[in-house]
Amino acid sequence: MGVYILRVIVILFLRFNFAKKVKKSKKPKKKVGKNWRKFWKLGAEEFNTQFFDVSKEGELLAKEGHHIYNLKNLAQKYGTPLQVVLPFIIEDRLKDLIGYFQAYMKIYGYRGKFYYHYPMKVNQNKEFILSLISEGANLEATSANELWLVKKLWEGERFNSKIRVLCNGPKTEQYLDLIEELRGKGMNVVPIMESLDEIDRLSKYKGDIGVRVDLNVKADSHWDKKFDRFGLSEKDALGLSKMKNLKIMHYHMGSQIKTQKSIFDGVKHGFGIYKQLQKTHPNLDTLDIGGGFGIPYEKKKFYTAKGVSSKIIKMLKNLSDKEGIRHPNLVIEWGQYIVAPAQVTIYKVLSEKSIPKANAKSWYIVDGSFMNDLKDTWAIHQKFYTIPLNNMHSPLKTTWFAGSTCDSDDKYTAGGNYILMPKLYEDKDQYVAILDTGAYQDGLASHHCLLSAPMKIVAQDGMIKIARKREGPDAISKLFGWTNGDHK
Ligand SMILES: Cc1ncc(COP(=O)(O)O)c(C=O)c1O
């Protein structure tokens, strides 16, 4: 009996274990977590998010080589609203862009030279401009005050004397005086003629000059207006009498151009004018195709700098060979493309309000202002990529954002659609990260309701520096004529 019981126990034990083993080998119970990096479209070169990742805790990380910055920790340490500048992104993008053009010039046997000029209007912050200069950018200024900044850099010996500065925009006396002063001091400063009124003075200018032409070709861009006012008409440009010092023909079709075809249409048409202008101005040797290269703010498929640079060089080579003229030197002023991805704006969610009957369930009210800090959301309904800074693994809900001013227009709804954000919990702070805020937003920023501008910090070489402290009430009231202690 005893032996029988023992046999039953052994059989049952073996069966049980075997069954377990079979079950295990048939259906491996490996738990696969959601790929949050992919879900939030991070780490992808095509979206310019290759420098961003998600931590195990569901927090947004920025990566500079082996350095890692946890942006939620920065928001907690420095407070919000906060702008985080990532100069290594600027440096990387510019290095790549110059590399593409130079490589394709070599590959196609192009004999002109390539110059990148950074349009200062896109972001005049010192941390941006110094990073660009360090990677070999030349500059493009649009006002006397921008050129004054260049003068200060020059006097501080912050750049070498090979740098060239193009001067666009209407030339006031003050602007022209400064151009001539800097030229006199040995700077390579090239005024670009913006209207016929400027001919008199510029024809006597001792250095090279350029002319901006308002091309008769429309770009697929929000900014390309039916009636343009920039530069000389094609007819006026082609009617210019011979100017020995005319070296550059420039055009700029608009910003955030939607299709690469529009860029190529501009190059082809621009080359047509260039070739005619060269007949009367034999020293003309440079074509400046301006800015306008877009970036994928919405993280959807977009054209690439590599592809476009290849086609531009190929096209210019074929066109000039066909005409039997020298390959023009090429100037590019793509501003937004280089600097937009190098800044992240961070807000904290202050409260939640439900929205009846809308695409989104709730307003998330944040501690900054879209109208003030991200003016394009209001002015041109620009969409930005908005993601949670933390709690990225949490259950999500559909939201709209509202800023902290009293204005009903101070909101961000992703064009009336919705933004996915983690649900709010009483014991957890929720932060919002807005990517690609490095272009234009700082120069356009304002102080509606006297809200403070975000604090600005710079993350580089594994260290954090405070670039701009948070404005206190004193600093803001001064902007409106109130001085210390004078509040009567
Ligand atoms: C003359 C000129 N060049 C370059 C730019 C930069 O354009 P983007 O930032 O779209 O490349 C602008 C923008 O307005 C411009 O007016």
Side-chain angles (χ1 to χ4, degrees):
M1 183 69 179
V3 174
Y4 177 70
I5 289 175
L6 195 65
R7 266 182 66 191
V8 170
I9 288 173
V10 169
I11 287 168
L12 280 177
F13 174 76
L14 286 175
R15 262 205 193 157
F16 180 66
N17 248 347
F18 183 66
K20 251 172 59 182
K21 266 185 198 145
V22 168
K23 220 177 157 188
K24 236 185 180 172
S25 59
K26 266 197 179 163
K27 280 191 191 163
K29 263 197 174 168
K30 207 172 143 210
K31 228 185 160 186
V32 183
K34 203 176 173 91
N35 187 341
W36 292 104
R37 186 158 89 130
K38 200 162 172 200
F39 181 81
W40 293 111
K41 300 191 175 180
L42 302 173
E45 205 160 336
E46 60 186 308
F47 301 140
N48 299 328
T49 58
Q50 67 268 40
F51 297 97
F52 297 98
D53 206 343
V54 182
S55 74
K56 275 201 208 104
E57 295 73 31
E59 292 164 0
L60 182 65
L61 304 175
K63 298 188 298 184
E64 178 193 15
H66 290 303
H67 295 301
I68 291 187
Y69 307 97
N70 180 317
L71 300 189
K72 184 227 159 178
N73 291 348
L74 296 180
Q76 279 184 328
K77 179 166 178 191
Y78 295 98
T80 47
L82 183 70
Q83 291 165 338
V84 186
V85 179
L86 307 161
F88 54 90
I89 295 186
I90 298 177
E91 290 165 13
D92 192 81
R93 292 175 79 70
L94 183 56
K95 214 186 296 169
D96 278 358
L97 185 71
I98 294 177
Y100 296 145
F101 276 101
Q102 288 179 342
Y104 287 118
M105 282 182 164
K106 236 184 202 159
I107 291 168
Y108 296 128
Y110 193 88
R111 288 186 297 281
K113 287 194 177 135
F114 175 74
Y115 299 93
Y116 176 76
H117 281 256
Y118 172 64
M120 293 174 69
K121 74 206 88 186
V122 185
N123 191 323
Q124 296 95 341
N125 278 289
K126 191 173 158 188
E127 298 73 22
F128 282 68
I129 291 186
L130 291 183
S131 294
L132 287 151
I133 290 175
S134 78
E135 288 304 324
N138 295 283
L139 296 171
E140 185 257 357
T142 302
S143 66
N145 289 346
E146 283 186 356
L147 191 59
W148 182 86
L149 282 183
V150 178
K151 176 183 163 172
K152 290 286 142 193
L153 281 171
W154 173 257
E155 288 171 352
E157 299 184 344
R158 299 301 287 264
F159 51 64
N160 78 33
S161 47
K162 280 195 199 142
I163 209 163
R164 182 173 61 181
V165 184
L166 304 182
C167 294
N168 267 307
K171 313 292 178 305
T172 59
E173 285 294 308
Q174 184 202 5
Y175 196 6
L176 283 166
D177 287 350
L178 193 51
I179 290 172
E180 281 163 358
E181 179 195 326
L182 293 177
R183 158 87 198 142
K185 287 181 173 164
M187 188 190 289
N188 186 2
V189 53
V190 181
I192 306 290
M193 201 189 307
E194 169 76 31
S195 84
L196 289 173
D197 306 326
E198 294 171 5
I199 289 185
D200 258 4
R201 193 142 166 201
L202 292 188
S203 58
K204 291 177 206 121
Y205 185 68
K206 295 271 185 310
D208 296 342
I209 63 165
V211 60
R212 176 165 176 175
V213 182
D214 180 10
L215 290 193
N216 264 337
V217 60
K218 292 284 155 200
D220 189 4
S221 144
H222 178 90
W223 281 268
D224 200 17
K225 304 289 186 292
K226 197 168 173 196
F227 304 105
D228 204 340
R229 65 174 188 283
F230 302 107
L232 272 63
S233 68
E234 292 181 3
K235 188 165 163 267
D236 284 347
L238 293 174
L240 283 175
S241 47
K242 184 172 175 175
M243 294 166 99
K244 270 197 200 148
N245 56 348
L246 187 70
K247 295 281 275 187
I248 299 178
M249 187 201 114
H250 164 57
Y251 70 82
H252 170 78
M253 295 202 299
S255 272
Q256 190 62 17
I257 295 176
K258 290 182 193 147
T259 62
Q260 54 178 342
K261 182 184 173 296
S262 272
I263 298 178
F264 304 141
D265 288 350
V267 174
K268 194 167 173 200
H269 191 82
F271 178 84
I273 306 294
Y274 171 87
K275 138 197 121 181
Q276 291 182 61
L277 200 57
Q278 208 184 43
K279 288 189 182 136
T280 38
H281 300 84
N283 292 328
L284 183 69
D285 64 3
T286 301
L287 179 63
D288 172 356
I289 69 169
F293 197 98
I295 64 157
Y297 282 109
E298 296 180 57
K299 306 306 166 210
K300 291 182 184 152
K301 205 169 162 28
F302 212 72
Y303 56 84
T304 65
K306 192 165 175 242
V308 170
S309 53
S310 161
K311 287 200 190 116
I312 288 177
I313 297 302
K314 206 169 173 183
M315 181 185 271
L316 282 178
K317 180 176 187 298
N318 290 342
L319 289 169
S320 7
D321 288 351
K322 209 165 142 199
E323 293 295 330
I325 65 173
R326 282 193 314 264
H327 302 158
N329 297 323
L330 178 66
V331 170
I332 298 279
E333 300 177 7
W334 296 346
Q336 181 156 217
Y337 169 78
I338 296 288
V339 299
Q343 182 169 286
V344 180
T345 299
I346 298 171
Y347 296 125
K348 185 170 166 183
V349 180
L350 294 176
S351 59
E352 176 178 12
K353 286 185 182 168
S354 68
I355 321 172
K357 293 190 207 145
N359 281 344
K361 286 250 178 309
S362 288
W363 287 111
Y364 275 14
I365 293 140
V366 302
D367 60 355
S369 162
F370 294 91
M371 245 178 144
N372 285 351
D373 317 331
L374 296 165
K375 183 72 96 224
D376 279 347
T377 58
W378 173 59
I380 54 165
H381 305 294
Q382 173 69 55
K383 287 187 190 168
F384 283 93
Y385 190 54
T386 40
I387 52 174
L389 184 76
N390 59 329
N391 307 324
M392 279 173 153
H393 305 157
S394 295
L396 300 171
K397 72 188 301 180
T398 55
T399 65
W400 283 345
F401 294 149
S404 281
T405 68
C406 65
D407 215 297
S408 56
D409 277 344
D410 193 354
K411 63 183 178 183
Y412 181 75
T413 64
N417 207 350
Y418 59 79
I419 306 126
L420 281 178
M421 277 288 132
K423 289 182 179 171
L424 299 184
Y425 296 94
E426 261 183 28
D427 57 339
K428 284 187 200 167
D429 284 339
Q430 183 61 54
Y431 295 94
V432 174
I434 302 161
L435 303 194
D436 306 317
T437 64
Y440 296 108
Q441 306 315 300
D442 284 21
L444 293 168
S446 55
H447 280 97
H448 191 23
C449 291
L450 296 194
L451 294 196
S452 304
M455 181 180 192
K456 196 186 273 297
I457 59 172
V458 179
Q460 193 166 29
D461 300 328
M463 286 179 289
I464 304 295
K465 274 192 217 141
I466 298 177
R468 235 72 72 227
K469 285 189 191 152
R470 193 174 311 290
E471 291 167 313
D474 247 14
I476 297 179
S477 52
K478 267 186 203 157
L479 298 174
F480 292 82
W482 303 91
T483 50
N484 273 348
D486 173 20
H487 290 89
K488 286 172 202 148

